[in-house]
Amino acid sequence: MRIFDPHVHMTSRTTDDYRRMHAAGVRAVVEPAFWLGQPRTNVGSFLDYFDALLGWEPYRAAQHGIRHHCALALNPKEANDPRCAPVLAELPRYLLKDSVVAVGEVGYDSMTPEEERAFEAQLALAQDNDLPVLVHTPHRDKAEGTRRTLDVVRAAGIPPGLVLVDHLNELTVGMVADSGCWMGFSIYPDTKMDPDRMVTLLKQYGTDRMLVNSAADWGRSDPLKTREVADAMLAAGFGGDDVDQVLWRNPVAFYGQSGRLDLSSGSESGSDYAGNTIKRG
Ligand SMILES: [Zn+2]
């Protein structure tokens, strides 16, 4: 089984997690930029973080046979802080980097005007750079937040196929399915979606445009949740091809739109990150 976690914050995880993820089948991840718990106080703090997502973290992942790409953005929460918002002016040069496969996470947290301005500005940046966008939806008042999110996406004129709307649940999946955007589900130990609820949604909505992630970070979360969903799908009667579509081919198709997804580099195990055997000699 090959697994691509399309949303995981590895910077806050240990090398043991990388080892366990690889053992569970994870061969590729996308790490979106987010907040750090402790508020940032200046733009330089973002730039060091972006550099870590472009340099140190892919190196750490590669040591465990996992391919690492990132999405960069000013996150919704810190869009409200005037000390942080100026990072928007620094983003264009970062979005040119090879391993940046999307703009993200952007979107609403508390649905303030400042968040909306940063969201719109970054949708425009994504269009300028021909990049897909990873959109976070608020954890409070999720239905209204998701509706407004889709309004902003529509008004921006960005093709819905370039937009992944994340952290969905039973209340919000329908409107995103109708929008033409990709649907993301974060599987957590005790909130949001769990593997069985995810399987129910896959039965109801099918496997197209559906992505499953662990969104693991420094909070209570588990980077092996993607594998749990795969196992739950098989137990519920889905075939191996369905699992491969949701846990591998869908994230590859979505982030592949960047033209920068590179899954071909060999690992020490003799197979590449896509699970294909490398022909040697
Ligand atoms: Zn996140």
Side-chain angles (χ1 to χ4, degrees):
M1 186 184 295
R2 52 182 186 171
I3 295 173
F4 188 138
D5 191 335
H7 181 158
V8 59
H9 301 290
M10 294 311 297
T11 197
S12 52
R13 309 299 302 194
T14 65
T15 47
D16 279 355
D17 287 328
Y18 272 125
R19 187 182 48 74
R20 293 187 308 132
M21 288 163 75
H22 186 272
V26 177
R27 294 293 179 273
V29 298
V30 166
E31 176 156 6
F34 79 145
W35 62 297
L36 296 177
Q38 181 71 25
R40 292 185 177 90
T41 60
N42 64 83
V43 168
S45 177
F46 281 92
L47 303 187
D48 289 340
Y49 172 62
F50 292 166
D51 287 336
L53 295 187
L54 291 162
W56 172 243
E57 209 55 51
Y59 168 73
R60 214 161 71 97
Q63 288 178 315
H64 298 274
I66 294 176
R67 190 77 191 173
H68 182 288
H69 296 81
C70 66
L72 297 182
L74 168 61
N75 63 83
K77 206 177 185 76
E78 288 182 313
N80 293 300
D81 189 330
R83 296 172 301 180
C84 298
V87 75
L88 289 175
E90 306 291 335
L91 267 175
R93 66 189 168 96
Y94 274 91
L95 296 180
L96 303 173
K97 311 264 183 189
D98 278 343
S99 61
V100 178
V101 294
V103 173
E105 0 188 343
V106 299
Y108 285 123
D109 180 56
S110 305
M111 293 192 264
T112 65
E114 289 78 13
E115 290 169 18
E116 189 158 301
R117 267 198 297 280
F119 185 13
E120 289 168 346
Q122 293 182 100
L123 287 172
L125 276 179
Q127 289 176 282
D128 292 346
N129 288 275
D130 294 323
L131 285 172
V133 192
L134 172 59
V135 183
H136 165 101
T137 51
H139 300 307
R140 299 174 299 270
D141 203 359
K142 190 172 276 295
E144 173 61 13
T146 305
R147 242 187 305 279
R148 283 182 57 181
T149 295
L150 292 172
D151 287 345
V152 171
V153 166
R154 250 179 248 113
I158 187 167
L162 283 171
V163 179
L164 166 55
V165 184
D166 210 346
H167 311 313
L168 300 181
N169 62 19
E170 292 84 352
L171 291 176
T172 53
V173 57
M175 62 179 105
V176 181
D178 292 343
S179 75
C181 296
W182 295 70
M183 294 158 273
F185 299 86
S186 301
I187 315 299
Y188 274 96
D190 43 24
T191 55
K192 303 174 194 160
M193 296 302 296
D194 67 31
D196 291 334
R197 285 165 60 196
M198 188 65 231
V199 166
T200 302
L201 288 182
L202 287 164
K203 284 183 185 161
Q204 206 178 335
Y205 288 89
T207 52
D208 290 346
R209 287 190 283 131
M210 301 285 260
L211 282 83
V212 170
N213 62 73
S214 71
D217 56 19
W218 29 248
R220 186 157 150 67
S221 52
D222 177 356
L224 303 186
K225 283 294 176 192
T226 49
R227 174 59 189 256
E228 278 186 37
V229 169
D231 290 341
M233 285 179 72
L234 293 172
F238 283 98
D241 190 66
D242 297 322
V243 171
D244 192 66
Q245 183 189 2
V246 174
L247 276 304
W248 186 267
R249 298 198 307 272
N250 283 352
V252 168
F254 177 72
Y255 289 117
Q257 297 179 96
S258 67
R260 295 180 185 161
L261 201 63
D262 176 10
L263 300 171
S264 61
S265 307
S267 68
E268 72 289 349
S269 64
S271 62
D272 68 15
Y273 293 99
N276 304 309
T277 303
I278 295 170
K279 293 195 182 74
R280 297 192 188 282

